[in-house]
Amino acid sequence: MNGLPEAVEVARGALRLRWEDQSTTEWPATRLRAECRCGDCRSLRLAGRAPTGDGAELTGAEPVGRYALQLLFRDGHDRGIYPWDWLRNG
Ligand SMILES: [Zn+2]
């Protein structure tokens, strides 16, 4: 068990992950955008101006080392790094 998914599928509206035990997790793009963990979005959230994620679409995903996935959104936002642990557990 290394914590990495066996498959990562990026659809416009959702990220689908399949784990070693064959369980799957599906994340709506809107929720991922709304919960973006980058410094900018954290600051906005603290200021009460969190991104809503409305209309968010995914355009890509890149592994970051072995611990996380970087997601690219259609609005050009690409700074969110989502650790696998977080993606697995929500
Ligand atoms: Zn962000």
Side-chain angles (χ1 to χ4, degrees):
M1 194 70 191
N2 57 20
L4 293 172
E6 284 190 347
V8 176
E9 183 187 333
V10 177
R12 202 180 342 177
L15 175 72
R16 294 189 195 94
L17 305 169
R18 191 178 76 241
W19 305 97
E20 207 169 298
D21 62 3
Q22 302 306 309
S23 64
T24 57
T25 307
E26 178 164 325
W27 287 92
T30 50
R31 183 163 168 221
L32 290 168
R33 183 67 185 83
E35 297 199 20
C36 180
R37 301 162 52 82
C38 82
D40 286 351
C41 291
R42 283 177 199 245
S43 297
L44 288 171
R45 203 170 286 125
L46 287 173
R49 294 184 290 123
T52 64
D54 286 351
E57 294 181 355
L58 286 164
T59 56
E62 298 286 343
V64 180
R66 294 179 58 78
Y67 82 96
L69 189 66
Q70 176 182 13
L71 295 177
L72 290 67
F73 292 92
R74 187 166 300 282
D75 65 0
H77 198 70
D78 63 358
R79 298 192 56 203
I81 306 291
Y82 300 74
W84 295 121
D85 282 350
W86 186 89
L87 288 167
R88 173 127 202 181
N89 299 314

